[in-house]
Amino acid sequence: MQIPYELALGWRYTRAGRATRRNGFISFISGVSMLGIALGVAALIIVLSVMNGFQKEVRDRMLSVVSHIEIFAPHGAAMPDPARTLAEAQRNPNVVGAAPFVSAQALLARGEDMKGTLVRGIDPDKEGAVTDLAATNAEVLKQLVPGEFRVVLGRELARSLGARVGDAITLIAPAGQVTPAGVVPRLKQMTVAGTFDSGHYEYDSALVMLHHEDAQRIFRLEGPTGVRLKLKDLHQAREVAQQLAGSLSGDLLIRDWTQQNRTWFAAVQLEKRMMFIILTLIVAVAAFNLVSTLVMTVTDKRADIAILRTLGASPKSIMGIFVVQGAMVGVIGTCVGLLLGLGIAANIDVIVPAIERALNASFLPKDIYLISKMPSEPQASDIVPIGVISLVLAFVATLYPSWRASRVNPAEALRYE
């Protein structure tokens, strides 16, 4: 099959000039444009992959404590029929685990130290089916025996109170007890059975876990306040929550994990969009360097254009030649950038430690950051738009110089040749 002459000439002009001193500067500018596109595309892929990696790390640590879906009664009251709710929720094919819980707020005191805490009453035998934290701390949670009023504290909370395993602490419930002397706070002395470390400061510094039957007695509840669910696919939490809203009986509220941390996820998405826009400008600057490259090429090739026109080439064909030339620079630069970006993003766990050893520095010190390794997760939803935008910008940059080439007057161009 014969190749169209527009494509052949465009490719010839793209690689021409390197062997001739006359066109060396044009070829240099073309190479700079190609390199700029490649570096811009690679930077976009690397930065977005690292942001995806950090988001995944934080999300996984968050979901080790938070269940995928929570079903609870309004106003923190006990559920009317938790057994029926558990059975109805488990009928959904997407649900792989369910466990009851009691959720409340209280004060935790030891000596003169006092902290506001989130109290979670759990069933140790079932909690491992809904959270990874319970599964990895199963031995500690087995210490939560009903009637013995033992608690498991987040590591940061225990550190701030100076509490160790076996120490006695006091749990102060918000609702007081009415006596002839007036309203007296309800106090209960508890024993520290152990600590946990979820890797998420918000929960390690505020969460207290105890047996749900003990929590019901302390807060004077007739049963659990809710049910926690784990799904096959955490990304389907919203759809499953909508399905459960139509299938569960009773006046219940349903909340998925994206709603519990909506502000954080919205901030991450906004930051990701802004980084995408800012780094895309680098690609745009490099792509529009093609304009100056092609304008100089058109000026240099005026005689060639005039000869082609006299041989019968149409303005559309002339325009196509220079569109091909600019598009080739964009395609090569984009492909090189994709390969470079994906290569670095896929091996960042090797590259960053090597740089740290070479510079004798630590980018993410363990004593400051919870995540001490640089994570990376390239996603097709980011890579495909980056490649498409780069190619589109390179193509748009070729339109004006190509149009100028198609408007060259053969007589004027050959007058002084």
Side-chain angles (χ1 to χ4, degrees), residues 69-164:
I69 293 180
E70 288 185 358
I71 305 169
F72 53 96
H75 311 298
M79 297 184 73
D81 193 348
R84 182 181 65 180
T85 303
L86 274 169
E88 291 177 347
Q90 289 177 318
R91 290 174 191 162
N92 191 300
N94 295 298
V95 176
V96 296
F101 74 98
V102 174
S103 181
Q105 293 182 352
L107 292 175
L108 204 62
R110 183 177 183 274
E112 297 181 356
D113 296 324
M114 187 174 294
K115 297 290 182 181
T117 60
L118 174 64
V119 179
R120 179 181 296 168
I122 64 171
D123 185 342
D125 296 329
K126 297 180 180 179
E127 187 69 13
V130 294
T131 59
D132 295 336
L133 179 66
T136 55
N137 294 272
E139 293 299 324
V140 176
L141 296 182
K142 285 181 180 179
Q143 302 294 323
L144 302 180
V145 179
E148 296 190 6
F149 294 97
R150 296 175 180 175
V151 294
V152 176
L153 309 180
R155 183 167 297 178
E156 291 298 327
L157 177 59
R159 184 181 302 171
S160 63
L161 291 173
R164 298 180 179 179

XYZ file of all heavy atoms in Angstrom, residues 69-164:
705
model
N -20.319 0.238 55.589
C -21.668 0.790 55.756
C -22.080 0.652 57.214
O -21.810 -0.367 57.852
C -22.692 0.076 54.840
C -22.412 0.376 53.370
C -24.125 0.491 55.189
C -23.374 -0.289 52.409
N -22.738 1.690 57.732
C -23.313 1.647 59.070
C -24.816 1.861 58.990
O -25.283 2.771 58.300
C -22.688 2.717 59.970
C -21.256 2.426 60.377
C -20.724 3.445 61.364
O -21.480 4.394 61.694
O -19.571 3.310 61.799
N -25.556 1.024 59.697
C -27.006 1.158 59.810
C -27.291 1.436 61.276
O -26.856 0.676 62.156
C -27.724 -0.140 59.372
C -27.299 -0.529 57.952
C -29.239 0.031 59.449
C -27.751 -1.913 57.537
N -27.987 2.516 61.577
C -28.194 2.873 62.983
C -29.554 3.539 63.164
O -30.175 4.034 62.202
C -27.078 3.796 63.482
C -26.852 5.020 62.636
C -27.441 6.232 62.955
C -26.036 4.951 61.509
C -27.223 7.352 62.178
C -25.807 6.075 60.724
C -26.412 7.271 61.057
N -30.004 3.549 64.418
C -31.276 4.162 64.771
C -31.091 5.668 64.952
O -29.998 6.120 65.320
C -31.820 3.537 66.051
N -32.122 6.475 64.704
C -32.000 7.929 64.863
C -31.750 8.318 66.316
O -32.147 7.618 67.250
C -33.353 8.449 64.371
C -33.946 7.346 63.560
C -33.426 6.075 64.166
N -31.059 9.436 66.498
C -30.847 10.061 67.806
C -30.037 9.179 68.763
O -30.114 9.336 69.988
C -32.184 10.425 68.468
C -33.120 11.168 67.570
N -32.809 12.405 67.051
C -34.345 10.826 67.084
C -33.817 12.826 66.284
N -34.748 11.876 66.291
N -29.261 8.235 68.248
C -28.431 7.403 69.102
C -29.193 6.422 69.968
O -28.645 5.887 70.939
N -30.443 6.161 69.636
C -31.252 5.224 70.416
C -30.926 3.793 70.020
O -30.264 3.533 69.012
C -32.737 5.508 70.193
N -31.391 2.845 70.831
C -31.187 1.435 70.521
C -32.054 1.024 69.337
O -33.172 1.531 69.151
C -31.534 0.580 71.737
N -31.551 0.112 68.516
C -32.310 -0.383 67.373
C -33.503 -1.204 67.869
O -33.385 -1.970 68.839
C -31.430 -1.238 66.463
C -30.277 -0.489 65.835
S -29.342 -1.517 64.675
C -30.494 -1.596 63.315
N -34.652 -1.070 67.199
C -35.832 -1.813 67.663
C -35.696 -3.320 67.544
O -36.153 -4.059 68.403
C -36.955 -1.267 66.773
C -36.263 -0.709 65.574
C -34.948 -0.197 66.069
N -35.066 -3.805 66.467
C -34.915 -5.245 66.265
C -33.595 -5.508 65.536
O -33.572 -5.714 64.323
C -36.098 -5.784 65.465
C -36.166 -7.307 65.492
O -35.176 -7.922 65.942
O -37.184 -7.875 65.056
N -32.459 -5.496 66.253
C -31.157 -5.650 65.594
C -30.992 -6.993 64.903
O -30.329 -7.077 63.866
C -30.162 -5.488 66.742
C -30.937 -5.748 67.982
C -32.330 -5.295 67.701
N -31.590 -8.065 65.440
C -31.455 -9.379 64.817
C -32.111 -9.390 63.438
O -31.564 -9.950 62.474
C -32.077 -10.449 65.715
N -33.261 -8.778 63.327
C -33.935 -8.724 62.031
C -33.144 -7.874 61.045
O -33.006 -8.230 59.868
C -35.350 -8.148 62.201
C -36.143 -8.088 60.900
C -37.518 -7.496 61.126
N -37.428 -6.089 61.533
C -38.487 -5.321 61.804
N -39.717 -5.839 61.724
N -38.332 -4.069 62.173
N -32.606 -6.757 61.516
C -31.801 -5.897 60.632
C -30.568 -6.633 60.138
O -30.192 -6.531 58.964
C -31.401 -4.612 61.371
O -32.574 -3.937 61.831
C -30.616 -3.684 60.451
N -29.895 -7.372 61.032
C -28.736 -8.162 60.629
C -29.110 -9.180 59.553
O -28.407 -9.322 58.540
C -28.152 -8.883 61.844
C -27.151 -8.119 62.703
C -26.883 -8.884 64.003
C -25.854 -7.888 61.951
N -30.225 -9.867 59.745
C -30.641 -10.889 58.782
C -30.995 -10.264 57.438
O -30.625 -10.787 56.377
C -31.833 -11.661 59.343
N -31.714 -9.145 57.462
C -32.101 -8.498 56.207
C -30.888 -7.952 55.467
O -30.824 -8.026 54.232
C -33.097 -7.368 56.496
C -34.462 -7.852 56.974
C -35.385 -6.706 57.321
O -34.904 -5.558 57.430
O -36.598 -6.957 57.476
N -29.909 -7.405 56.202
C -28.710 -6.855 55.552
C -27.872 -7.954 54.918
O -27.320 -7.778 53.821
C -27.887 -6.070 56.560
N -27.778 -9.095 55.574
C -26.950 -10.186 55.057
C -27.571 -10.884 53.854
O -26.894 -11.667 53.190
C -26.673 -11.194 56.174
C -25.706 -10.652 57.222
C -25.486 -11.617 58.368
O -26.429 -12.243 58.853
N -24.237 -11.749 58.809
N -28.826 -10.593 53.562
C -29.447 -11.149 52.354
C -28.907 -10.487 51.091
O -28.986 -11.056 50.002
C -30.957 -10.968 52.414
C -31.650 -11.846 53.457
C -33.118 -11.510 53.547
N -33.742 -12.140 54.710
C -34.903 -11.751 55.227
N -35.568 -10.728 54.688
N -35.404 -12.384 56.271
N -28.368 -9.291 51.242
C -27.794 -8.602 50.085
C -26.537 -9.342 49.645
O -25.638 -9.577 50.453
C -27.478 -7.146 50.427
C -27.130 -6.311 49.214
O -26.179 -6.591 48.508
N -27.923 -5.280 48.962
N -26.426 -9.711 48.373
C -25.264 -10.509 47.922
C -23.933 -9.778 48.033
O -22.873 -10.419 48.018
C -25.606 -10.833 46.466
C -26.593 -9.790 46.056
C -27.381 -9.454 47.287
N -23.944 -8.455 48.139
C -22.700 -7.687 48.241
C -22.158 -7.624 49.658
O -21.025 -7.179 49.862
C -22.915 -6.262 47.716
C -23.242 -6.231 46.241
O -22.444 -6.641 45.415
N -24.438 -5.761 45.892
N -22.951 -8.017 50.656
C -22.540 -7.951 52.054
C -21.834 -9.256 52.437
O -22.382 -10.338 52.260
C -23.752 -7.712 52.974
C -23.322 -7.732 54.442
C -24.420 -6.383 52.641
N -20.610 -9.137 52.959
C -19.838 -10.324 53.342
C -19.649 -10.436 54.848
O -19.176 -11.463 55.336
C -18.455 -10.316 52.657
C -18.605 -10.420 51.152
C -17.655 -9.073 53.037
N -20.000 -9.399 55.600
C -19.852 -9.441 57.052
C -20.755 -8.433 57.717
O -21.030 -7.363 57.159
N -21.246 -8.750 58.912
C -22.117 -7.848 59.658
C -21.883 -8.056 61.147
O -21.609 -9.178 61.600
C -23.578 -8.091 59.298
N -21.972 -6.963 61.918
C -21.768 -7.039 63.363
C -22.505 -5.888 64.035
O -22.533 -4.772 63.504
C -20.283 -6.984 63.707
N -23.082 -6.119 65.210
C -23.753 -5.032 65.941
C -22.731 -4.144 66.650
O -21.592 -4.551 66.902
C -24.618 -5.794 66.950
C -23.858 -7.059 67.205
C -23.193 -7.413 65.897
N -23.134 -2.944 67.000
C -22.237 -2.042 67.729
C -23.052 -1.027 68.512
O -24.239 -0.805 68.248
C -21.284 -1.322 66.771
C -21.921 -0.223 65.960
C -21.816 1.109 66.356
C -22.629 -0.509 64.804
C -22.398 2.127 65.613
C -23.208 0.494 64.056
C -23.101 1.821 64.456
N -22.400 -0.437 69.479
C -22.957 0.670 70.257
C -22.015 1.842 70.086
O -20.795 1.701 70.283
C -23.101 0.311 71.750
C -23.544 1.535 72.551
C -24.093 -0.827 71.937
N -22.556 2.989 69.711
C -21.727 4.176 69.507
C -22.206 5.289 70.426
O -23.406 5.574 70.509
C -21.803 4.644 68.050
O -20.996 5.779 67.832
N -21.263 5.897 71.154
C -21.596 6.987 72.069
C -20.341 7.810 72.337
O -19.231 7.418 71.950
C -22.160 6.433 73.373
N -20.531 8.937 72.972
C -19.418 9.792 73.370
C -19.354 9.872 74.880
O -20.389 9.833 75.565
C -19.570 11.191 72.773
C -19.442 11.222 71.260
C -19.547 12.616 70.694
O -19.864 13.557 71.413
N -19.276 12.759 69.404
N -18.155 9.989 75.407
C -17.984 10.030 76.853
C -16.652 10.690 77.177
O -15.866 11.027 76.283
C -18.044 8.620 77.439
N -16.414 10.871 78.467
C -15.133 11.364 78.961
C -14.384 10.208 79.602
O -14.990 9.368 80.280
C -15.333 12.489 79.982
C -15.888 13.811 79.460
C -16.134 14.778 80.630
C -14.949 14.442 78.444
N -13.081 10.180 79.396
C -12.239 9.156 79.995
C -11.243 9.855 80.903
O -10.547 10.784 80.477
C -11.514 8.369 78.898
C -11.058 6.955 79.242
C -12.264 6.080 79.570
C -10.279 6.354 78.087
N -11.203 9.427 82.160
C -10.359 10.109 83.139
C -9.415 9.125 83.811
O -9.767 7.970 84.086
C -11.233 10.794 84.188
N -8.211 9.622 84.073
C -7.226 8.874 84.876
C -6.426 9.897 85.662
O -5.659 10.675 85.092
C -6.295 8.040 83.998
C -5.311 7.202 84.824
C -4.446 6.321 83.920
N -3.558 5.485 84.709
C -2.347 5.872 85.149
N -1.884 7.080 84.850
N -1.607 5.041 85.879
N -6.656 9.904 86.968
C -6.029 10.918 87.794
C -6.586 12.285 87.444
O -7.800 12.493 87.403
N -5.716 13.225 87.158
C -6.144 14.567 86.790
C -6.312 14.741 85.290
O -6.772 15.786 84.840
C -5.123 15.587 87.319
C -5.004 15.621 88.836
C -4.019 16.659 89.307
O -3.376 17.298 88.438
O -3.886 16.843 90.525
N -5.932 13.742 84.508
C -6.055 13.821 83.050
C -7.446 13.365 82.615
O -7.978 12.370 83.123
C -5.004 12.942 82.371
C -3.593 13.424 82.651
O -3.405 14.654 82.716
O -2.702 12.573 82.820
N -8.021 14.084 81.650
C -9.353 13.760 81.164
C -9.410 14.034 79.661
O -8.919 15.067 79.194
C -10.403 14.593 81.893
C -11.845 14.219 81.573
S -13.026 15.128 82.594
C -12.641 14.477 84.225
N -9.984 13.107 78.912
C -10.056 13.230 77.455
C -11.473 12.901 76.983
O -12.124 11.996 77.506
C -9.077 12.262 76.772
C -7.613 12.517 77.073
C -7.116 13.788 76.412
C -5.628 13.992 76.702
N -5.118 15.240 76.081
N -11.930 13.654 75.983
C -13.171 13.307 75.312
C -12.919 12.165 74.340
O -11.932 12.180 73.594
N -13.790 11.161 74.352
C -13.553 9.961 73.551
C -14.807 9.536 72.804
O -15.933 9.910 73.157
C -13.092 8.786 74.437
O -14.117 8.500 75.400
C -11.807 9.113 75.149
N -14.576 8.736 71.764
C -15.650 8.066 71.043
C -15.688 6.628 71.536
O -14.718 5.880 71.360
C -15.390 8.107 69.534
C -16.355 7.315 68.650
C -17.767 7.869 68.743
C -15.884 7.315 67.204
N -16.776 6.257 72.160
C -16.918 4.919 72.724
C -17.623 4.026 71.714
O -18.669 4.394 71.173
C -17.712 4.959 74.045
C -17.883 3.547 74.615
C -17.014 5.862 75.058
N -17.036 2.867 71.467
C -17.640 1.914 70.545
C -17.771 0.561 71.245
O -16.769 -0.072 71.597
C -16.800 1.766 69.275
C -17.381 0.763 68.271
C -16.510 0.643 67.047
N -16.432 1.883 66.305
C -15.565 2.118 65.328
N -14.683 1.179 65.000
N -15.564 3.263 64.700
N -19.001 0.156 71.452
C -19.263 -1.166 71.989
C -19.342 -2.180 70.864
O -20.058 -1.963 69.879
N -18.589 -3.266 70.961
C -18.492 -4.232 69.864
C -18.748 -5.643 70.371
O -18.704 -5.910 71.577
C -17.093 -4.180 69.197
C -16.015 -4.603 70.204
C -16.809 -2.798 68.625
C -14.648 -4.802 69.597
N -19.018 -6.519 69.448
C -19.067 -7.950 69.724
C -17.747 -8.530 69.228
O -17.528 -8.640 68.016
C -20.248 -8.593 68.996
C -20.421 -10.060 69.352
O -19.458 -10.656 69.871
O -21.505 -10.619 69.103
N -16.822 -8.906 70.125
C -15.490 -9.361 69.684
C -15.523 -10.546 68.734
O -14.619 -10.704 67.907
C -14.801 -9.725 71.003
C -15.528 -8.957 72.054
C -16.950 -8.875 71.592
N -16.553 -11.389 68.843
C -16.629 -12.565 67.981
C -17.022 -12.221 66.547
O -16.710 -12.962 65.615
C -17.631 -13.571 68.554
C -17.192 -14.107 69.909
O -15.968 -14.195 70.125
O -18.065 -14.407 70.740
N -17.708 -11.086 66.355
C -18.198 -10.707 65.029
C -17.473 -9.507 64.431
O -17.544 -9.278 63.226
C -19.699 -10.401 65.091
C -20.563 -11.592 65.497
C -22.036 -11.201 65.526
C -22.913 -12.395 65.924
N -24.354 -12.021 65.977
N -16.792 -8.739 65.268
C -16.181 -7.502 64.788
C -15.113 -7.756 63.731
O -14.917 -6.943 62.812
C -15.580 -6.738 65.965
C -15.066 -5.346 65.624
C -16.174 -4.359 65.277
O -17.353 -4.685 65.535
O -15.846 -3.271 64.751
N -14.417 -8.883 63.813
C -13.383 -9.187 62.823
C -13.921 -9.365 61.426
O -13.168 -9.271 60.447
N -15.226 -9.597 61.280
C -15.825 -9.775 59.964
C -16.099 -8.456 59.267
O -16.378 -8.450 58.066
C -17.137 -10.565 60.083
N -16.010 -7.319 60.004
C -16.363 -6.033 59.393
C -15.204 -5.042 59.354
O -15.242 -4.089 58.575
C -17.575 -5.401 60.118
C -18.818 -6.239 59.918
C -17.299 -5.201 61.598
N -14.174 -5.213 60.186
C -13.031 -4.292 60.165
C -11.717 -5.061 60.231
O -11.613 -6.072 60.935
C -13.080 -3.295 61.342
O -13.080 -4.020 62.574
C -14.311 -2.406 61.264
N -10.728 -4.573 59.520
C -9.397 -5.190 59.539
C -8.714 -4.990 60.884
O -7.899 -5.823 61.307
C -8.530 -4.602 58.430
C -9.059 -4.941 57.051
O -9.768 -5.956 56.928
O -8.782 -4.184 56.097
N -9.030 -3.877 61.567
C -8.415 -3.614 62.866
C -8.768 -4.708 63.859
O -7.903 -5.187 64.609
C -8.874 -2.250 63.388
C -8.330 -1.846 64.753
C -6.832 -1.635 64.685
C -9.026 -0.587 65.252
N -10.031 -5.123 63.871
C -10.453 -6.179 64.787
C -9.816 -7.515 64.409
O -9.466 -8.317 65.277
C -11.972 -6.294 64.790
N -9.656 -7.740 63.106
C -9.060 -9.005 62.663
C -7.588 -9.093 63.065
O -7.099 -10.165 63.440
C -9.210 -9.154 61.156
N -6.862 -7.977 63.001
C -5.435 -7.986 63.344
C -5.190 -7.884 64.842
O -4.079 -8.139 65.302
C -4.713 -6.831 62.639
O -5.357 -5.595 62.969
C -4.741 -7.004 61.135
N -6.203 -7.495 65.626
C -6.079 -7.388 67.081
C -7.055 -8.323 67.782
O -7.603 -7.993 68.837
C -6.326 -5.942 67.534
C -5.262 -4.977 67.059
O -4.256 -4.776 67.710
N -5.496 -4.382 65.889
N -7.274 -9.495 67.169
C -8.270 -10.433 67.701
C -7.924 -10.883 69.112
O -8.809 -11.016 69.973
C -8.398 -11.638 66.767
N -6.640 -11.124 69.385
C -6.241 -11.610 70.710
C -6.524 -10.577 71.791
O -6.936 -10.903 72.906
C -4.750 -11.973 70.699
C -4.410 -13.171 69.820
C -5.121 -14.437 70.275
O -5.274 -14.619 71.512
O -5.527 -15.230 69.414
N -6.294 -9.304 71.460
C -6.557 -8.240 72.435
C -8.052 -8.093 72.670
O -8.510 -7.956 73.817
C -5.952 -6.904 71.949
C -6.304 -5.767 72.915
C -4.446 -7.023 71.803
N -8.840 -8.147 71.596
C -10.285 -7.964 71.731
C -10.948 -9.124 72.460
O -12.054 -8.970 73.001
C -10.913 -7.774 70.349
C -10.487 -6.519 69.590
C -11.218 -6.410 68.260
C -10.723 -5.263 70.425
N -10.311 -10.287 72.488
C -10.876 -11.413 73.235
C -10.904 -11.122 74.737
O -11.622 -11.785 75.495
C -10.062 -12.686 72.976
C -10.322 -13.307 71.608
C -9.505 -14.581 71.433
C -9.763 -15.209 70.063
N -8.947 -16.444 69.855
N -10.125 -10.136 75.177
C -10.117 -9.750 76.583
C -11.392 -9.029 76.993
O -11.652 -8.848 78.185
C -8.910 -8.830 76.868
C -7.571 -9.431 76.529
C -7.232 -10.617 77.414
O -7.549 -10.634 78.605
N -6.608 -11.636 76.828
N -12.192 -8.594 75.995
C -13.440 -7.877 76.289
C -14.534 -8.894 76.593
O -15.215 -9.388 75.707
C -13.823 -6.984 75.105
C -12.785 -5.937 74.677
C -13.287 -5.132 73.499
C -12.440 -5.023 75.844
N -14.675 -9.198 77.863
C -15.665 -10.167 78.328
C -16.820 -9.408 78.954
O -16.602 -8.494 79.766
C -15.041 -11.133 79.359
C -16.080 -12.141 79.859
C -13.848 -11.839 78.747
N -18.070 -9.740 78.596
C -19.210 -9.005 79.167
C -19.270 -9.135 80.681
O -19.060 -10.212 81.240
C -20.420 -9.665 78.491
C -19.937 -10.974 77.984
C -18.505 -10.793 77.667
N -19.519 -8.012 81.332
C -19.632 -7.987 82.778
C -18.355 -7.634 83.494
O -18.383 -7.272 84.682
N -17.214 -7.708 82.809
C -15.939 -7.396 83.463
C -15.487 -5.961 83.195
O -14.490 -5.506 83.762
C -14.861 -8.384 83.017
C -15.150 -9.814 83.438
C -13.974 -10.745 83.216
O -12.889 -10.230 82.831
O -14.129 -11.963 83.420
N -16.165 -5.248 82.295
C -15.931 -3.824 82.029
C -14.462 -3.534 81.739
O -13.790 -2.776 82.437
C -16.432 -2.966 83.203
C -17.925 -3.023 83.381
C -18.490 -3.885 84.308
C -18.749 -2.235 82.610
C -19.865 -3.955 84.466
C -20.126 -2.285 82.766
C -20.689 -3.150 83.685
N -13.979 -4.191 80.697
C -12.630 -3.932 80.207
C -12.701 -3.093 78.940
O -13.685 -3.161 78.199
C -11.906 -5.246 79.926
C -11.678 -6.118 81.164
C -11.066 -7.446 80.772
N -10.825 -8.306 81.934
C -10.399 -9.545 81.844
N -10.149 -10.093 80.645
N -10.208 -10.263 82.934
N -11.655 -2.340 78.680
C -11.620 -1.475 77.496
C -10.303 -1.657 76.766
O -9.278 -2.034 77.360
C -11.801 0.020 77.863
C -13.174 0.274 78.423
C -10.720 0.476 78.841
N -10.351 -1.388 75.463
C -9.152 -1.342 74.625
C -9.033 0.072 74.091
O -9.985 0.596 73.481
C -9.237 -2.367 73.466
C -8.033 -2.223 72.554
C -9.324 -3.784 74.017
N -7.896 0.715 74.296
C -7.698 2.122 73.940
C -6.803 2.254 72.716
O -5.933 1.412 72.465
C -7.048 2.887 75.102
C -7.687 2.769 76.490
C -6.888 3.592 77.491
C -9.134 3.216 76.466
N -7.018 3.334 71.964
C -6.073 3.708 70.925
C -4.729 4.043 71.547
O -4.659 4.577 72.668
N -3.657 3.741 70.850
C -2.326 3.907 71.431
C -2.037 5.348 71.833
O -1.490 5.613 72.902
C -1.273 3.411 70.439
C 0.158 3.463 70.968
C 1.097 2.680 70.088
N 0.738 1.261 70.070
C 1.383 0.350 69.347
N 2.404 0.719 68.582
N 1.023 -0.916 69.388
N -2.429 6.309 70.986
C -2.195 7.720 71.306
C -3.035 8.157 72.498
O -2.591 8.965 73.322
C -2.501 8.588 70.082
C -1.523 8.432 68.939
C -0.124 8.850 69.323
O 0.020 9.789 70.145
O 0.841 8.240 68.827
N -4.266 7.647 72.590
C -5.119 7.980 73.732
C -4.526 7.435 75.021
O -4.487 8.137 76.057
C -6.525 7.413 73.508
C -7.534 7.615 74.639
C -7.735 9.102 74.923
C -8.868 6.956 74.295
N -4.059 6.186 74.982
C -3.439 5.604 76.173
C -2.180 6.371 76.564
O -1.913 6.588 77.765
C -3.117 4.129 75.903
N -1.422 6.817 75.576
C -0.196 7.567 75.865
C -0.519 8.914 76.494
O 0.158 9.347 77.443
C 0.596 7.750 74.582
C 1.937 8.438 74.764
C 2.638 8.587 73.420
N 2.836 7.281 72.792
C 3.258 7.121 71.540
N 3.509 8.192 70.779
N 3.423 5.910 71.045
N -1.546 9.599 75.979
C -1.895 10.914 76.528
C -2.431 10.809 77.960
O -2.260 11.740 78.753
C -2.934 11.592 75.634
O -4.143 10.844 75.602
N -3.082 9.682 78.301
C -3.588 9.484 79.658
C -2.550 8.825 80.560
O -2.751 8.740 81.780
C -4.852 8.614 79.632
C -6.103 9.237 79.011
C -7.214 8.205 78.898
C -6.573 10.430 79.831
N -1.466 8.334 79.990
C -0.465 7.617 80.764
C -0.972 6.282 81.273
O -0.551 5.806 82.333
N -1.888 5.666 80.512
C -2.504 4.408 80.935
C -1.787 3.225 80.302
O -1.406 3.273 79.130
C -3.982 4.398 80.550
N -1.630 2.168 81.095
C -1.028 0.937 80.620
C -1.992 -0.221 80.847
O -3.010 -0.081 81.518
C 0.290 0.670 81.346
C 1.350 1.742 81.108
C 2.627 1.405 81.856
N 3.664 2.418 81.626
C 4.873 2.375 82.166
N 5.199 1.352 82.978
N 5.755 3.327 81.917
